[in-house]
Amino acid sequence: MPNFVCLAYHRITAEAMAQADPYTVTPVALEAQLGWLARRGYRGVSISQALAGSGYKRPVALAFDDGCRDFYTDAWPLLRRYGFNATLFLLAGRIGQAADWPEARGVPLLSWAEVRELAAQGVEVAVH
């Protein structure tokens, strides 16, 4: 079994309410983390790539849970800037709706069109 680290995120937002969630970071913090990884020779990969043995010397699997739209608007552009990939875990029955759980109530979730676009660009899509 390949050896790798996995970093997991819920949301990428500066909203104060979301900051109580330890798996939520601001876009500025995510960019700082990705830059730190890149400068040290890490490569952001999907979970499947990591499990298959990505071929990179220092892979780090990046996982984003719940399918909030901020992955599309804030996280994915940063990941692309650094040449990183990720796994996006969706709540299949909630695509195109809004979150209804306390930590993200009312937050828009990805649409099917956005999911298809992300998948076509190489994001690994999985069910949460």
Side-chain angles (χ1 to χ4, degrees), residues 13-73:
T13 182
E15 291 177 17
M17 179 185 83
Q19 293 307 306
D21 178 359
Y23 296 98
T24 294
V25 298
T26 66
V28 170
L30 180 63
E31 182 161 23
Q33 292 172 14
L34 298 177
W36 186 93
L37 291 167
R39 286 189 303 277
R40 283 157 182 80
Y42 287 93
R43 291 289 302 200
V45 298
S46 70
I47 292 176
S48 291
Q49 289 172 313
L51 289 170
S54 66
Y56 296 117
K57 185 176 177 184
R58 300 181 90 180
V60 58
L62 301 171
F64 293 81
D65 290 346
D66 304 332
C68 294
R69 184 166 290 134
D70 53 47
F71 176 84
Y72 181 84
T73 59

Side-chain angles (χ1 to χ4, degrees), residues 76-96:
W76 184 234
L78 292 172
L79 292 164
R80 289 181 68 182
R81 181 178 305 154
Y82 287 93
F84 287 179
N85 201 351
T87 300
L88 177 61
F89 288 99
L90 304 175
L91 301 169
R94 306 288 309 182
I95 293 175

